[in-house]
Amino acid sequence: ADSRRGGVGDETTVITPKIYGNTNQTKFIPILFERDDSGNEYLPTYIKSRIYIDFSNASDYENSYERLLRHLYDKPIDKKPPRGKPPAWLDEDSVNYNELNTLVKKNKNLPDNQPYKFQELKMNFTETFINTLNEMRFPDDKFDTESLLKKIDSLKPIRDIYFDFLLATITSGYFSSDFVKDFFENLYNRVPTAAKNGYSERDFEYYDFLLWESFIGTITILWKYEKYSEIHELVIRKYFLRDNLFFGSNEKICSFLTFRKYLPILEEECQKNFKQRYVSYASKLLIEREKLPYLNKNALCETDLRLYHLSTILLEPSSGFFKSVWFPSTYCYLPETKNIWQKLISKSYCDRILPLFGVQTISELKKLFSNINQKQLESVGYRNGFYSNAPNILAYVKVTDIATSA
């Protein structure tokens, strides 16, 4: 066939242009009957790039015959699944992410020992991120649960770009908690801006959701890279955040707890549209918006619970205990058998994680845990009767067990 001799050569001359000229043709079906001593196929060159049906193994003849029949009658074993519903953000033709993606690429390729370039890069990224969000103005003439969910869906691409920039910042060696602090202060203070006097914060619930899930995702990524000191700084920091959504409003000193707001439309009104009632629909939505490999369901739930634990240990009560803790709304989706602080029994692990709690010795760590008011912690959780309260940190490790093994 390859030398174009005899009858096979004539057939090759006829078949070859039809195969090369139409990659989707189904008229000619390659069938393999024999292999050489090394197991290589006996096939002419012009057809080697095609998928063939293998009849060279007598013991597998029946399966090969079935494959041939299914091919002839267009009854494949594995059928192509139907195309799913496209995400809402695909319809947002006006949003251009090119500049943000370019900044992410620059961050990934940033040379060593040039911190001034990173300073410029991070400022450009934050500014471009805020401007892009503000360009994604949604019409206010129609506001219902369906439009809220579409708005939240449309924010996922830009959220993922932020996570890509954060990961590039960590791996490049230029990361500091100042970047995250400045980013979230800008995000809170500059997006969105109310354009009318009669606004309600419910009108901007999609931004509150973005803020909440972005902070949880940030801490999840930092935990993966063992940035314990930086997590500690972000938990105890004072953030200067605006009083209201009007441009130029006064700023007040807040803790990271402000990034976790109650979302009434998701938790109450959206629930009315479902046959199944969720303990927390906002939490269900959050854990479904994974960005693998780091931001998976379990990792997000663990971070949410850890933020609750850290708030009870590191934050001073201000005006009542429940206003001084992070409510871990996703805890109901975390397996009860999962012990997120199990490693604290290891001395070597405790030595690594001491910066997370702002202490320098294991003795100081034990003292910190001994001062936890366990009675107060037993009251944090859902009141619907279906779930027990959120487990506090002492439910995972006793003070006497800390650093008791190598």
Side-chain angles (χ1 to χ4, degrees), residues 53-173:
I53 298 177
D54 190 354
F55 277 85
S56 65
N57 186 351
S59 62
D60 198 40
Y61 179 87
E62 294 298 329
N63 290 331
S64 300
Y65 185 67
E66 181 184 349
R67 284 195 290 273
L68 177 59
L69 285 179
R70 286 185 175 278
H71 184 82
L72 290 172
Y73 292 100
D74 195 22
K75 298 292 182 181
I77 296 176
D78 300 317
K79 295 183 179 180
K80 184 179 179 179
R83 181 177 297 173
K85 182 180 178 182
W89 57 266
L90 285 178
D91 297 326
E92 300 292 333
D93 297 330
S94 60
V95 181
N96 189 334
Y97 301 114
N98 289 340
E99 189 173 355
L100 282 172
N101 284 320
T102 298
L103 292 171
V104 172
K105 291 179 181 178
K106 286 183 178 179
N107 198 5
K108 290 180 179 178
N109 299 319
L110 205 61
D112 295 334
N113 302 319
Q114 295 188 9
Y116 63 93
K117 285 193 174 182
F118 173 70
Q119 292 298 322
E120 180 182 0
L121 189 63
K122 75 173 184 178
M123 287 190 292
N124 288 342
F125 178 82
T126 300
E127 197 66 25
T128 306
F129 190 94
I130 297 301
N131 291 339
T132 305
L133 267 181
N134 280 322
E135 288 174 5
M136 297 172 65
R137 284 291 185 182
F138 300 105
D140 295 328
D141 55 345
K142 178 185 177 184
F143 192 86
D144 52 30
T145 56
E146 183 179 355
S147 64
L148 171 63
L149 294 176
K150 287 182 178 180
K151 291 170 184 177
I152 290 175
D153 193 28
S154 69
L155 292 172
K156 188 175 185 297
I158 195 169
R159 181 210 72 171
D160 288 349
I161 292 174
Y162 159 69
F163 288 142
D164 288 338
F165 189 86
L166 176 64
L167 281 165
T169 301
I170 294 172
T171 55
S172 68

Side-chain angles (χ1 to χ4, degrees), residues 170 175 218-232 343 348-349 351-356:
I170 294 172
F175 177 78
T218 297
I219 302 301
T220 303
I221 291 173
L222 295 183
W223 185 273
K224 175 66 178 178
Y225 283 90
E226 298 189 359
K227 299 293 183 180
Y228 301 130
S229 178
E230 289 82 356
I231 294 175
H232 174 83
K343 292 182 180 179
S348 60
Y349 180 77
D351 288 334
R352 295 208 320 270
I353 208 172
L354 288 176
L356 177 69

Side-chain angles (χ1 to χ4, degrees), residues 201-246:
E201 287 200 9
R202 291 162 62 96
D203 298 339
F204 304 106
E205 190 164 306
Y206 46 94
Y207 281 122
D208 291 337
F209 182 90
L210 173 68
L211 196 72
W212 172 53
E213 71 166 347
S214 297
F215 192 80
I216 291 178
T218 297
I219 302 301
T220 303
I221 291 173
L222 295 183
W223 185 273
K224 175 66 178 178
Y225 283 90
E226 298 189 359
K227 299 293 183 180
Y228 301 130
S229 178
E230 289 82 356
I231 294 175
H232 174 83
E233 292 173 9
L234 292 172
V235 169
I236 67 169
R237 266 184 183 271
K238 302 300 181 184
Y239 298 85
F240 293 89
L241 306 177
R242 62 183 175 178
D243 266 331
N244 54 60
L245 297 180
F246 290 116

